[in-house]
Amino acid sequence: MSANQETPVRNNLIGNGTTIKGEINATGDVRIDGTIIGTIKSTGKIVIGQQGVVEGEMLCNSADISGQVKGTIRVEELTTLKSTSRLEVELYTKQLFIEVGAIFTGKCDMTQKVAEAPGK
């Protein structure tokens, strides 16, 4: 690979039936159909599938959530909550889109940059 070429985007999958406890740091996108208990950091998008469960903290560029999240979410750009999503969170995001049917319990802060949000 020459010095001018970009590193290819990496896609990471946590499959249904898989449980991970700890911290995940990813360059690229992450799709979660299993369970994560801990922290997920991604330079790309985090997608939580309908069967996906996250308990802890998420930090990413964008998020597309169809499953369950409990904890803190910090998103640099767009957070999308699909109709099947169930959240109990503190959410820090630049933009938020919520489909009819999504359940959101908690706090949403869109007034400051995610990098300036408490706890980051």
Side-chain angles (χ1 to χ4, degrees), residues 30-77:
V30 178
R31 179 175 176 96
I32 300 163
D33 291 312
T35 300
I36 304 294
I37 301 169
T39 302
I40 309 165
K41 298 178 183 177
S42 172
T43 58
K45 177 188 264 187
I46 294 178
V47 176
I48 311 290
Q50 285 188 11
Q51 303 303 313
V53 176
V54 174
E55 293 182 18
E57 187 172 21
M58 288 175 39
L59 296 95
C60 57
N61 187 53
S62 62
D64 191 348
I65 303 171
S66 297
Q68 298 178 31
V69 181
K70 185 174 185 177
T72 303
I73 303 173
R74 302 174 195 286
V75 180
E76 293 291 336
E77 294 297 327

Side-chain angles (χ1 to χ4, degrees), residues 50-110:
Q50 285 188 11
Q51 303 303 313
V53 176
V54 174
E55 293 182 18
E57 187 172 21
M58 288 175 39
L59 296 95
C60 57
N61 187 53
S62 62
D64 191 348
I65 303 171
S66 297
Q68 298 178 31
V69 181
K70 185 174 185 177
T72 303
I73 303 173
R74 302 174 195 286
V75 180
E76 293 291 336
E77 294 297 327
L78 175 65
T79 302
T80 302
L81 306 182
K82 301 292 187 175
S83 63
T84 56
S85 64
R86 307 290 179 258
L87 287 85
E88 291 181 41
V89 298
E90 283 189 31
L91 172 62
Y92 301 90
T93 188
K94 184 175 180 180
Q95 300 174 23
L96 177 61
F97 179 81
I98 303 176
E99 289 184 357
V100 173
I103 296 176
F104 180 94
T105 304
K107 170 187 169 185
C108 179
D109 187 338
M110 299 172 65

